[in-house]
Amino acid sequence: IPTLLARRNNLEISWDDVNGPAYSNFMDKDILATNDRVSANWRRAYEVINVLNNILFNIDNVTNATAKSKIQGEALAMRSILYFEMVRLWGEQYSDITLTTEAIPLKTKPITEVKQIATPVLATIQDIYTFVEQDLTTASTLLEGLGKNDVNLSYYTCQAYLMRISLQKRDFTTAEEFANTIINSNEFQLADTPVEAFNNTTNSSEDIFAIQQTTAFSAGDR
């Protein structure tokens, strides 16, 4: 959705109206009140956040220290990424005058029964950004020893998202520091040609994180 919303002319991106007409609204900057992608993305995001909250609430049940750090780090990172993407879509853009503006609900405790569901309180832009940065920083610490962490969320993914958050806040100095952490690690290299970074069956040398897909299941295998 952010990619479609950012489209400025026909040469930048196209969309298949036959298989995904609801997404054309985003591309055309003409989002209908009945657009089911809006409600679906909101609902799915909070469903996943609740699953992650349950995992984090019960993390002490994991007795192996390495497994615990991996699970906790990945869950914190995933929850942070969801909140960051959601506040960008449903909240005002980050600026000095919007910090106290209400944006989206911030749910940190798991819901296990329907009777626990209550009308949520909206958190401010500042609340969401502070929470996301804290979670990603903790996740970075937990995942650092795992390096690239195969195809899962990793220390470098956390650093990349902390960089993106800094860019969103127009804190370019801090963004450069996070970027340099990734670049100077020598874990990633630019492909010899731009085309080689796309349409691969495995992560390319450039990929800090990529959703793993197959020809049979394009929504992502994990």
Side-chain angles (χ1 to χ4, degrees):
I1 289 175
T3 302
L4 294 174
L5 288 172
R7 169 187 176 271
R8 301 185 67 175
N9 62 62
N10 290 332
L11 298 178
E12 290 180 338
I13 190 170
S14 60
W15 190 258
D16 182 351
D17 281 320
V18 176
N19 294 314
Y23 284 106
S24 295
N25 290 171
F26 299 99
M27 187 171 68
D28 298 334
K29 314 298 188 293
D30 185 22
I31 305 170
L32 304 178
T34 55
N35 189 302
D36 62 357
R37 293 298 88 199
V38 175
S39 56
N41 278 276
W42 176 279
R43 182 181 66 254
R44 288 171 181 170
Y46 277 104
E47 286 174 351
V48 174
I49 286 169
N50 192 55
V51 170
L52 296 169
N53 285 340
N54 271 282
I55 291 171
L56 292 167
F57 184 78
N58 292 287
I59 194 65
D60 287 339
N61 290 325
V62 181
T63 56
N64 181 279
T66 301
K68 181 178 180 180
S69 293
K70 177 180 169 64
I71 294 169
Q72 185 176 7
E74 290 178 9
L76 287 170
M78 196 179 302
R79 186 173 67 177
S80 301
I81 291 169
L82 281 168
Y83 273 124
F84 175 58
E85 298 296 348
M86 289 182 70
V87 76
R88 292 200 305 143
L89 285 173
W90 276 281
E92 296 288 340
Q93 295 305 303
Y94 187 99
S95 70
D96 290 340
I97 61 174
T98 63
L99 294 182
T100 58
T101 303
E102 292 181 339
I104 59 175
L106 179 59
K107 308 296 291 182
T108 61
K109 296 181 179 179
I111 292 173
T112 56
E113 299 180 35
V114 174
K115 65 181 181 181
Q116 294 176 306
I117 298 175
T119 301
V121 176
L122 296 179
T124 66
I125 299 288
Q126 182 67 79
D127 290 337
I128 299 296
Y129 273 80
T130 298
F131 179 81
V132 167
E133 288 178 285
Q134 289 174 344
D135 262 14
L136 277 173
T137 301
T138 302
S140 291
T141 301
L142 291 167
L143 295 173
E144 186 170 7
L146 300 176
K148 295 174 74 171
N149 200 22
D150 194 30
V151 297
N152 299 305
L153 289 162
S154 69
Y155 166 75
Y156 299 106
T157 311
C158 297
Q159 295 294 296
Y161 261 95
L162 285 166
M163 177 194 69
R164 290 189 63 193
I165 293 166
S166 298
L167 289 174
Q168 197 76 16
K169 295 168 62 177
R170 302 184 68 81
D171 181 358
F172 302 120
T173 300
T174 303
E176 182 181 21
E177 292 173 358
F178 286 122
N180 283 334
T181 297
I182 300 170
I183 294 168
N184 295 332
S185 72
N186 295 318
E187 292 282 2
F188 308 92
Q189 293 80 36
L190 293 176
D192 291 334
T193 64
V195 174
E196 292 177 9
F198 300 93
N199 296 325
N200 297 305
T201 56
T202 59
N203 286 355
S204 76
S205 61
E206 294 188 7
D207 291 329
I208 298 171
F209 175 68
I211 301 296
Q212 306 303 304
Q213 299 184 342
T214 67
T215 54
F217 188 58
S218 61
D221 255 8
R222 3 177 129 213

